[in-house]
Amino acid sequence: MSRRVSLPGASELFGGTAPQQTRPEKRTTTDGPASSSVRSRTAVADDRKSSGRIRHDTKITVYVTEEELLGLEQVRLALRAEHGLSADRGRIVREAIDVLLADFVDHGPDSVLVRRLKASE
């Protein structure tokens, strides 16, 4: 009996044979010229639910200031101390993104995101 471990090859790991999962585009019907902007906003977040605690295959890197990182860590600790919720920084950021996207879909030009981006120009 061989004591060698059988490992998958590069083609099995990186072959891309698994089908890509994409979210279906959510369509809305409205009358008037605003219909295209509503459709594009609703396509951004179709079900508006955070992914939560699952394995994520896509990654981005975001650079934050020391104050922003400290604030994020304070929120994480407050969630644990005051609410009994254990969440890592990534999950808190994903939830915040979900809330922000939902607000954008619901309110468009009056959303928090649009107002804050306009204020920072």
Side-chain angles (χ1 to χ4, degrees):
M1 180 185 327
S2 175
R3 297 189 72 153
R4 290 189 178 198
V5 176
S6 176
L7 297 174
S11 61
E12 286 94 0
L13 292 174
F14 306 110
T17 58
Q20 282 193 329
Q21 295 180 357
T22 58
R23 299 172 109 180
E25 184 176 318
K26 181 179 175 184
R27 301 272 180 183
T28 60
T29 57
T30 59
D31 295 321
S35 66
S36 64
S37 64
V38 171
R39 184 174 20 259
S40 65
R41 284 197 311 265
T42 57
V44 171
D46 56 355
D47 63 324
R48 296 188 297 189
K49 184 172 183 193
S50 171
S51 58
R53 294 189 68 183
I54 63 168
R55 185 181 191 302
H56 296 88
D57 295 327
T58 307
K59 179 181 177 180
I60 65 168
T61 301
V62 178
Y63 292 92
V64 297
T65 65
E66 191 172 320
E67 293 82 18
E68 291 167 335
L69 183 59
L70 182 60
L72 182 58
E73 192 62 26
Q74 288 172 340
V75 166
R76 186 186 71 78
L77 294 173
L79 285 170
R80 177 175 289 191
E82 299 170 18
H83 304 283
L85 297 171
S86 178
D88 60 28
R89 293 183 300 205
R91 181 153 183 222
I92 295 169
V93 169
R94 286 190 301 274
E95 291 291 339
I97 290 171
D98 181 58
V99 170
L100 198 63
L101 292 177
D103 180 62
F104 179 74
V105 168
D106 291 342
H107 300 105
D110 297 324
S111 67
V112 172
L113 178 62
V114 171
R115 286 183 293 169
R116 289 182 61 110
L117 290 174
K118 282 183 178 179
S120 67
E121 287 183 339

